[in-house]
Amino acid sequence: ASPGANPTASHPTQQRLKIKREIGLIGGIALISGTMIGSGIFMSPQFVLSYVGSPGASLLIWTISGIVSMLAALSYTELGTIIPESGGDFIYILRIYGPFPAFFAAYTMVLVLKPFAAAALSIGIAEYAAAPFYTDCSPPTVVVKCAAAFSLFLVVIINVLNVRLAIRIQVIFLVAKVLALTTIVVGGLVKLSQSTDMIVENLKVENSFTGTQFSLSTFGMAFSQGLWSYSGWYSLSYVTEELKRPEVNLPRAAVIAISLVTSLYLLVNVSYLSVMTPRELMSSTAVAVTWGNKVLGSWGWIMSLAAALSAFGSLNGSFFSGGRVCFVAAREGHMPDILSMAHVHRLTPSPALIFTTTVSLIVLIPGDFKSIVNYFSFTAWIFYGITLSGLIYLKIKKPELPRPYSVVPILALIAAVFLVLAPIIDNPQIEYLYVTLFIVSGVIFYIPFIHYKVCPRLLNKLTVFLQLFLEVAPTEKNL
């Protein structure tokens, strides 16, 4: 069999399932922007500001992050029209560079990136949901971890039950988030109409860049915190086979969603600065809640609720798309067979979703939010960079491929290289080495199980047992 062939393809008698195309343009926009607007905009502004040191520079970071996300998303969209398969980075790297690098992408995404993102989001949900009950102190770790685990269980149940249900919830939560962020923007405007002192003080030309820290590392860290709030721009490329008319809806959804998110983020940051001094902003544990207490008074708890709901919507979106990486990798023979199957009646990739949840719950036990974000960004951008370089490679080597439109991915690629190298060069830490060693350790699994296709007999028995227990069957591509 060829390296990309499906190991279950040797059973021609089996009637294979097909996952349906259930996502339209509205669903696509909700998946991208709903995954992007998570806990980031409620939690990251104080980190971005404390890294760069001035309000002007922090707004600049938010703007650049939005532009980079747009360019990267459009590059992925072009790839999605050339390679119209689900699986995002993994499938693009597999089709352009072959199975060896693709396996490392799948291995890192399934075991690190997606579970870490889910764990970080669930911690965000838990912290905000618990905040109103612990007004004088921060909520106990046990409470936060239990609430986070509960939110993970809830999301996996929604996603295993029904694709349409998951997308509907995504749309409803997106509307709620846009309303919450609009409330912050309008609240800021009301405060401005009462007094412009604070915003003039914060964003006056001579003041706005005072205290800026010019170093590769601080900009790199601020940039990774900013881009963490935009993470989700790639969501639709993971579910191309479930999108109606992908050649039209992929680019449309990306442009509409990312423009919406970038403009909301900038307005929300200006609103924060119209109410708080940079020092207040930096010392806040949850900016949106501090803003709520100042502007909405006794109704400040609404912001905690909004942030928790926002993170929940983002968790649902990242789960929906993230579970597909595991599913597609297994379908291509890079993960155990069972993970490539879908539920016989519900047509959802339930084994892959359950597996992702299990890993997320394990990650959740020790997790600390800020460190999770930094190492997560570092690893993610390695693979985004490889994927973007793949698009440049295709443009040079195969210009004849049909592409409805063309993007120049150079800027997004430079940003990816900067995000990977800046923190290492400026402030080398042992953790980066651990991350790299972890990625390289994939070789131990690749050589016997993928290259030589060694399959322990016990695994076959386990697959059959799980197939019956979970009521799942092999699937075929929906091209």
Side-chain angles (χ1 to χ4, degrees):
S2 66
N6 192 326
T8 52
S10 52
H11 312 303
T13 49
Q14 248 174 343
Q15 180 59 48
R16 291 169 155 266
L17 301 172
K18 234 181 189 177
I19 290 188
K20 292 181 183 164
R21 291 189 184 268
E22 299 265 22
I23 308 170
L25 180 61
I26 300 292
I29 294 169
L31 188 62
I32 298 176
S33 43
T35 307
M36 287 170 80
I37 308 172
S39 53
I41 186 61
F42 299 92
M43 292 173 103
S44 285
Q46 72 265 35
F47 295 135
V48 173
L49 187 58
S50 58
Y51 281 128
V52 291
S54 71
S58 86
L59 288 177
L60 203 60
I61 293 280
W62 285 98
T63 312
I64 297 169
S65 300
I67 295 166
V68 168
S69 304
M70 178 70 90
L71 293 171
L74 289 174
S75 305
Y76 270 51
T77 305
E78 185 181 338
L79 278 167
T81 52
I82 301 171
I83 305 165
E85 297 177 56
S86 290
D89 313 82
F90 165 73
I91 205 78
Y92 302 151
I93 295 172
L94 177 71
R95 297 284 174 256
I96 298 167
Y97 294 124
F100 187 64
F103 174 75
F104 291 101
Y107 171 73
T108 312
M109 279 184 190
V110 172
L111 293 179
V112 180
L113 297 187
K114 299 303 168 191
F116 271 55
L121 277 166
S122 65
I123 290 172
I125 296 167
E127 283 178 344
Y128 278 109
F133 302 102
Y134 297 90
T135 43
D136 303 327
C137 59
S138 48
T141 313
V142 180
V143 173
V144 171
K145 294 282 163 90
C146 290
F150 174 73
S151 59
L152 284 171
F153 278 120
L154 192 57
V155 166
V156 76
I157 290 165
I158 292 166
N159 278 277
V160 165
L161 283 177
N162 190 317
V163 170
R164 223 177 265 167
L165 172 70
I167 288 292
R168 271 193 197 135
I169 285 178
Q170 197 60 14
V171 174
I172 293 165
F173 274 87
L174 175 64
V175 172
K177 292 185 226 208
V178 171
L179 284 174
L181 292 178
T182 309
T183 307
I184 296 180
V185 174
V186 173
L189 288 172
V190 170
K191 279 284 174 193
L192 280 180
S193 67
Q194 293 163 356
S195 155
T196 54
D197 298 350
M198 187 76 81
I199 193 90
V200 168
E201 193 54 42
N202 286 339
L203 295 179
K204 217 167 37 181
V205 180
E206 55 266 33
N207 289 2
S208 59
F209 287 92
T210 315
T212 307
Q213 295 167 18
F214 297 98
S215 90
L216 266 185
S217 168
T218 50
F219 266 98
M221 286 301 193
F223 203 27
S224 72
Q225 283 286 350
L227 279 162
W228 152 259
S229 302
Y230 284 95
S231 63
W233 50 263
Y234 41 74
S235 301
L236 218 48
S237 65
Y238 290 127
V239 293
T240 313
E241 291 170 41
E242 294 173 60
L243 184 67
K244 296 169 187 166
R245 298 176 61 214
E247 66 290 342
V248 177
N249 287 335
L250 258 175
R252 274 188 195 166
V255 171
I256 296 170
I258 297 168
S259 309
L260 169 77
V261 173
T262 307
S263 40
L264 272 174
Y265 278 7
L266 285 171
L267 290 168
V268 165
N269 269 293
V270 170
S271 176
Y272 288 153
L273 289 167
S274 66
V275 180
M276 291 179 253
T277 62
R279 182 161 288 141
E280 278 178 313
L281 216 152
M282 286 189 246
S283 61
S284 160
T285 47
V287 194
V289 179
T290 312
W291 181 94
N293 294 336
K294 285 196 145 209
V295 177
L296 307 172
S298 59
W299 286 87
W301 58 270
I302 287 182
M303 277 298 119
S304 291
L305 181 68
L309 292 177
S310 178
F312 184 81
S314 185
L315 180 62
N316 181 53
S318 67
F319 232 84
F320 185 89
S321 55
R324 301 311 190 259
V325 181
C326 183
F327 168 69
V328 174
R331 195 174 66 181
E332 296 292 339
H334 283 220
M335 293 274 154
D337 254 2
I338 184 72
L339 300 175
S340 70
M341 299 188 188
H343 194 277
V344 207
H345 306 298
R346 304 186 186 284
L347 296 180
T348 53
S350 47
L353 291 164
I354 293 166
F355 178 75
T356 308
T357 313
T358 313
V359 185
S360 303
L361 288 168
I362 296 166
V363 171
L364 193 63
I365 302 162
D368 151 51
F369 188 78
K370 202 169 173 182
S371 62
I372 283 182
V373 175
N374 289 337
Y375 304 124
F376 166 81
S377 306
F378 165 74
T379 347
W381 282 93
I382 293 174
F383 292 105
Y384 301 155
I386 295 171
T387 308
L388 292 165
S389 71
L391 178 57
I392 295 174
Y393 172 80
L394 285 182
K395 282 181 186 292
I396 298 165
K397 287 286 184 192
K398 301 190 177 172
E400 74 287 349
L401 283 174
R403 24 166 94 76
Y405 70 102
S406 189
V407 189
V408 181
I410 299 284
L411 277 169
L413 182 59
I414 292 169
V417 173
F418 172 75
L419 278 167
V420 173
L421 295 182
I424 305 176
I425 293 169
D426 204 77
N427 182 14
Q429 283 175 324
I430 193 77
E431 281 85 354
Y432 296 126
L433 180 67
Y434 293 152
V435 169
T436 316
L437 286 175
F438 174 81
I439 298 175
V440 176
S441 71
V443 173
I444 305 165
F445 300 98
Y446 180 81
I447 294 169
F449 301 120
I450 314 300
H451 190 73
Y452 290 110
K453 305 221 178 307
V454 175
C455 181
R457 205 168 280 150
L458 183 69
L459 191 64
N460 285 332
K461 286 182 177 170
L462 183 66
T463 303
V464 173
F465 166 73
L466 287 172
Q467 211 176 332
L468 294 167
F469 178 68
L470 296 170
E471 295 185 7
V472 291
T475 54
E476 64 172 308
K477 289 178 189 174
N478 189 0
L479 299 177

